[in-house]
Amino acid sequence: MITLKELSKQLNVSVSTVSKALNGSPEISEATAKRIKELAKHLNYQPNKIALSLKSNQTKTIGVIIPDILNRFFAKVLYSIQQEATNLGYNIITCISNESFEKERDSLKILANGSVDGFIMALSEETQQKEQYDHINEVLGNDIPVVLFDRVSDKLDCDKVVGNDLESIEDAVSALFDKGRKHIAFLTRINALSVGKLRAQGFMNAMNASGYGLNKGHMVALDKSKDIEEQLIRFFKNNPEIDGVVTADNISGTVAINALKKLNKSVPEHVSVIGFTSKTIAGLSEPRLVAIRQDCKGIGRQSAQLLVDRIKSKSQLNYQNIIVNTTLTEGKSI
Amino acid sequence: MITLKELSKQLNVSVSTVSKALNGSPEISEATAKRIKELAKHLNYQPNKIALSLKSNQTKTIGVIIPDILNRFFAKVLYSIQQEATNLGYNIITCISNESFEKERDSLKILANGSVDGFIMALSEETQQKEQYDHINEVLGNDIPVVLFDRVSDKLDCDKVVGNDLESIEDAVSALFDKGRKHIAFLTRINALSVGKLRAQGFMNAMNASGYGLNKGHMVALDKSKDIEEQLIRFFKNNPEIDGVVTADNISGTVAINALKKLNKSVPEHVSVIGFTSKTIAGLSEPRLVAIRQDCKGIGRQSAQLLVDRIKSKSQLNYQNIIVNTTLTEGKSI
DNA sequence: ATGAAAGCGCTAACAT
DNA sequence: ATGTTAGCGCTTTCAT
């Protein structure tokens, strides 16, 4: 690894001269500047990032903590964050909490030791259940900015980026009404999450606002530890009147289609189904699932921009709450 | 942020005394050590990572470069790397090359400026096509160790961790033979990749070794830019004798089942299908796809261990080539 | 136009 | 047992 010292030695000038020349300071004569730059290029000199960080007290890296990398939503947001961060001159350190409170807290603590300039994160499921946010407030209290996305909490005072979860489910239910469906089921595997609750609320709002009223028996909180398809088959058997399905998570929609098929109910002739998932997963079911799709790219981009703005402004005032719209993908399931 | 200096001031001792006390040096008397430790804990002192890195010339972080985060294989390996790295006291900085040579080269270059102690990476598709490895050899030449996994190259002299790609396809074809299948198709969307080539070779080996011989017309390199299902329907129509399918990538298996259904061929009665994918994706098809499954956890763990060993040993000798076995998942598609 | 020196936070060899 | 000092690689103020 080649350093300023090394360059200065080879050229018989001082370290500070080299530093200034390389940084384009007008103090240095053109002639020496040229010599220095040439040698630096020739030796492929790269400034030591660590030394720069120590000096400037900023690392130009962002800590990203996501609950689950196998979830396409988080994977896509992560990719988008990385793209935008790169554009803005930042690296990212990624930690996966695996929905665990402890892992989330530990990751936060480790990275808060000067390794990153700020955090972008979605709360783990366990954190949202416990409603314990001390670890995050401590970071915030240390003047390290945090941007929360998707999995957020009212109890936390910071910047946030979320989808329009509630409205998107309302719109989906409306779409089912438009197809003449009346007995609509709401399936969820994410009842414990903030977004899960919002989506459930959206369903209740839509049903209450309709003439048909809300039947709580048609809201199914699936047990993730058990076979989803079995649970759905049982539900559809016990509730044969169901002619429409809307789901809050990224897998129930596909499984619902399979379950209905096994009961000889065809989609969309007998039952219409709208899921909450990505285009790719929606394409794996037959017929193709109509899905509520998050703008992952938008969420990632906005989160990164918001955080970098916050890092640069150094102020902790006027926290923003950005809402990114969902879209309904094309499909054959309604 | 609280520093050693700050502690030393508050306790009226020197910085070095504080440092030694906190690091458990026997030079310091028990009494003062206790005082120091107590204040440190009380003030929640955390050693500054950046300063430590500058001093020790090691960052205790690993750069991980993967081609595609939406690919469950890479996502799982990434998670496993992170777990193992955490155990070994390392953080990870993740970069997603998005299958681009340039992005891969840039990421490597940025992180090689002292930001990481070593790399774990899978080559991007473009890199494997171009067979251009200068950027990696430069890093290696700088004595920064690199561990390659899955997407590797013979032209690169470094540690490697791969699955038993060739044998796993051979075994899958054998399993189809055992079911009485004779006209077996090989589907791939990853013909350009090193692993794709190995898997194709495995298919050819198996067919050649069998009494049935190899029909190259039964090997289909799918065009990723076009609709996969359409391509498959056309292929199955033109080759009605096909009674067995084995695939090299993580999505063709599911799509093949759907395509066969549309042609009123039932799986597994008329055609047997074995895919190359994760348990979760395999579970989304009806009937459940039998799949060759990589030991992602093993690959990640071994890669991390190998890299950390290499970092610690400081030697660049006796590169290892670790092979991690695949397994065949249960399903109903054969 | 160039260089010397201090300092970012830490460790460690070397005094005292 | 405690303190002084130098140095990791860099920037920057203050001489010269």
Side-chain angles (χ1 to χ4, degrees):
Chain A
M1 210 81 287
I2 176 95
T3 68
L4 288 189
K5 202 183 193 176
E6 177 67 23
L7 293 179
S8 74
K9 215 175 284 177
Q10 292 203 24
L11 292 169
N12 260 318
V13 290
S14 75
V15 175
S16 54
T17 305
V18 178
S19 171
K20 284 171 188 165
L22 259 20
N23 289 315
S25 160
E27 286 184 18
I28 306 299
S29 75
E30 279 203 17
T32 38
K34 198 172 164 230
R35 279 172 59 218
I36 292 173
K37 281 179 186 166
E38 269 167 7
L39 185 67
K41 174 158 279 176
H42 180 241
L43 262 39
N44 193 23
Y45 165 77
Q46 305 283 12
N48 182 314
K49 269 256 186 178
I50 302 293
L52 248 23
S53 292
L54 182 60
K55 185 77 194 164
S56 66
N57 204 25
Q58 53 168 1
T59 60
K60 287 281 185 179
T61 94
I62 295 171
V64 180
I65 304 179
I66 57 176
D68 178 11
I69 192 65
L70 292 177
N71 182 317
R72 293 182 78 81
F73 169 71
F74 290 122
K76 283 186 181 178
V77 174
L78 174 62
Y79 179 57
S80 171
I81 291 173
Q82 141 142 356
Q83 275 195 311
E84 190 64 20
T86 304
N87 288 342
L88 297 167
Y90 282 74
N91 276 125
I92 63 174
I93 292 192
T94 312
C95 288
I96 299 152
S97 67
N98 204 21
E99 305 289 11
S100 144
F101 168 77
E102 274 203 36
K103 181 81 180 94
E104 176 180 300
R105 190 192 51 192
D106 293 350
S107 301
L108 211 59
K109 192 164 190 178
I110 290 173
L111 296 184
N113 291 326
S115 297
V116 302
D117 296 342
F119 289 96
I120 297 176
M121 61 188 293
L123 299 170
S124 80
E125 180 165 355
E126 202 185 343
T127 307
Q128 289 207 318
Q129 272 165 342
K130 289 190 171 182
E131 300 198 317
Q132 244 179 256
Y133 305 119
D134 291 353
H135 55 308
I136 297 170
N137 277 321
E138 194 179 323
V139 169
L140 250 10
N142 261 342
D143 276 334
I144 302 176
V146 176
V147 171
L148 249 36
F149 75 90
D150 191 61
R151 308 261 197 93
V152 303
S153 165
D154 292 341
K155 308 246 168 77
L156 248 11
D157 198 21
C158 62
D159 292 307
K160 289 161 199 167
V161 179
V162 293
N164 61 337
D165 291 281
L166 198 138
E167 297 77 11
S168 63
I169 294 283
E170 287 178 357
D171 294 349
V173 175
S174 286
L176 293 178
F177 287 152
D178 289 348
K179 294 281 175 180
R181 305 308 183 179
K182 295 182 173 127
H183 305 286
I184 305 195
F186 175 78
L187 312 179
T188 180
R189 296 195 317 156
I190 55 170
N191 212 22
L193 304 180
S194 56
V195 286
K197 292 192 175 110
L198 280 172
R199 292 172 196 174
Q201 190 59 51
F203 177 74
M204 294 191 282
N205 289 357
M207 296 311 291
N208 281 326
S210 76
Y212 314 117
L214 171 65
N215 178 345
K216 287 225 173 183
H218 289 173
M219 295 180 73
V220 188
L222 296 158
D223 184 340
K224 283 192 287 186
S225 64
K226 295 190 189 132
D227 188 276
I228 301 291
E229 191 173 277
E230 264 177 37
Q231 295 176 62
L232 287 182
I233 289 179
R234 202 172 327 123
F235 170 74
F236 286 130
K237 262 191 192 155
N238 293 339
N239 299 269
E241 73 279 17
I242 293 296
D243 57 8
V245 174
V246 58
T247 81
D249 65 276
N250 61 352
I251 198 147
S252 306
T254 306
V255 183
I257 289 182
N258 288 342
L260 287 163
K261 265 193 231 167
K262 290 204 175 159
L263 295 171
N264 287 318
K265 303 213 180 197
S266 51
V267 177
E269 288 75 11
H270 302 132
V271 185
S272 295
V273 181
I274 298 182
F276 206 121
T277 190
S278 69
K279 243 163 91 176
T280 314
I281 297 286
L284 291 182
S285 41
E286 176 54 37
R288 174 182 259 280
L289 182 65
V290 172
I292 301 165
R293 199 175 127 265
Q294 299 254 39
D295 177 9
C296 308
K297 210 174 163 59
I299 292 177
R301 188 166 31 79
Q302 301 256 26
S303 300
Q305 285 174 357
L306 207 50
L307 181 67
V308 171
D309 284 352
R310 186 64 69 186
I311 289 170
K312 290 195 169 149
S313 80
K314 285 260 154 209
S315 105
Q316 301 276 59
L317 297 167
N318 294 117
Y319 285 121
Q320 293 203 52
N321 198 354
I322 294 181
I323 293 174
V324 179
N325 282 327
T326 54
T327 50
L328 217 57
T329 65
E330 306 238 332
K332 308 271 191 188
S333 68
I334 66 171
Chain B
M1 209 81 288
I2 176 95
T3 67
L4 288 189
K5 201 184 193 176
E6 178 67 22
L7 293 178
S8 74
K9 215 176 284 177
Q10 291 202 26
L11 292 170
N12 259 320
V13 290
S14 78
V15 176
S16 59
T17 305
V18 178
S19 170
K20 285 171 188 163
L22 259 21
N23 289 315
S25 160
E27 287 184 15
I28 307 299
S29 75
E30 278 204 21
T32 38
K34 195 168 167 235
R35 279 172 61 220
I36 292 173
K37 282 180 185 165
E38 269 168 7
L39 184 66
K41 176 159 277 178
H42 179 241
L43 261 38
N44 192 23
Y45 164 78
Q46 305 283 10
N48 182 315
K49 269 254 184 183
I50 302 292
L52 247 24
S53 292
L54 183 60
K55 184 77 193 161
S56 66
N57 203 25
Q58 54 166 2
T59 59
K60 287 280 185 182
T61 93
I62 294 171
V64 180
I65 304 180
I66 56 176
D68 178 11
I69 191 65
L70 291 176
N71 182 317
R72 293 181 77 83
F73 169 70
F74 290 122
K76 282 187 181 174
V77 175
L78 174 64
Y79 179 57
S80 171
I81 291 173
Q82 141 141 357
Q83 276 194 310
E84 189 64 19
T86 304
N87 288 343
L88 297 167
Y90 282 74
N91 276 124
I92 63 173
I93 292 192
T94 313
C95 287
I96 299 151
S97 66
N98 204 23
E99 306 287 11
S100 144
F101 168 76
E102 275 203 37
K103 182 81 180 96
E104 177 181 299
R105 190 192 49 194
D106 293 351
S107 301
L108 211 59
K109 192 165 189 176
I110 290 172
L111 297 184
N113 290 326
S115 297
V116 303
D117 296 341
F119 290 95
I120 297 175
M121 61 189 293
L123 298 171
S124 81
E125 181 166 356
E126 203 184 342
T127 306
Q128 290 208 318
Q129 273 166 340
K130 291 191 171 183
E131 301 199 315
Q132 243 179 254
Y133 306 119
D134 292 353
H135 55 308
I136 297 169
N137 277 321
E138 194 179 321
V139 169
L140 250 11
N142 260 341
D143 275 335
I144 302 176
V146 176
V147 171
L148 249 35
F149 74 91
D150 191 60
R151 308 260 198 96
V152 303
S153 165
D154 292 341
K155 308 247 169 76
L156 249 10
D157 197 23
C158 62
D159 291 308
K160 290 162 198 167
V161 179
V162 294
N164 60 339
D165 292 281
L166 198 139
E167 296 77 11
S168 63
I169 293 282
E170 287 178 356
D171 293 348
V173 174
S174 286
L176 293 178
F177 287 154
D178 289 349
K179 293 283 175 178
R181 304 309 183 177
K182 293 177 176 135
H183 305 286
I184 305 195
F186 175 78
L187 311 179
T188 180
R189 297 194 317 157
I190 55 170
N191 212 22
L193 303 179
S194 56
V195 285
K197 292 190 175 111
L198 280 173
R199 292 172 197 173
Q201 190 59 51
F203 176 74
M204 294 191 282
N205 289 357
M207 295 310 291
N208 281 326
S210 76
Y212 314 118
L214 171 65
N215 178 345
K216 285 223 173 182
H218 288 174
M219 296 181 71
V220 189
L222 297 157
D223 184 340
K224 282 192 288 185
S225 64
K226 296 190 189 132
D227 188 277
I228 301 291
E229 190 173 279
E230 264 175 38
Q231 295 177 64
L232 287 182
I233 288 179
R234 203 173 327 124
F235 170 73
F236 287 130
K237 263 190 192 157
N238 293 339
N239 298 271
E241 72 279 15
I242 294 295
D243 56 9
V245 174
V246 58
T247 81
D249 66 274
N250 62 352
I251 198 149
S252 306
T254 307
V255 182
I257 289 182
N258 288 341
L260 287 163
K261 265 193 231 163
K262 289 204 174 158
L263 294 171
N264 288 318
K265 304 213 180 195
S266 51
V267 175
E269 287 76 9
H270 302 131
V271 185
S272 294
V273 181
I274 298 182
F276 206 121
T277 190
S278 69
K279 241 164 89 178
T280 315
I281 296 284
L284 291 181
S285 41
E286 178 52 40
R288 175 182 259 277
L289 182 64
V290 172
I292 301 164
R293 200 175 128 265
Q294 299 254 40
D295 177 10
C296 309
K297 210 175 163 59
I299 292 177
R301 188 165 32 78
Q302 301 256 27
S303 301
Q305 286 174 357
L306 207 49
L307 182 67
V308 171
D309 283 352
R310 188 62 70 182
I311 289 170
K312 291 195 169 148
S313 82
K314 284 263 159 207
S315 105
Q316 301 277 59
L317 297 168
N318 294 118
Y319 285 121
Q320 294 203 51
N321 198 354
I322 295 182
I323 293 174
V324 180
N325 282 329
T326 52
T327 50
L328 216 59
T329 65
E330 307 237 334
K332 308 269 190 187
S333 69
I334 65 172

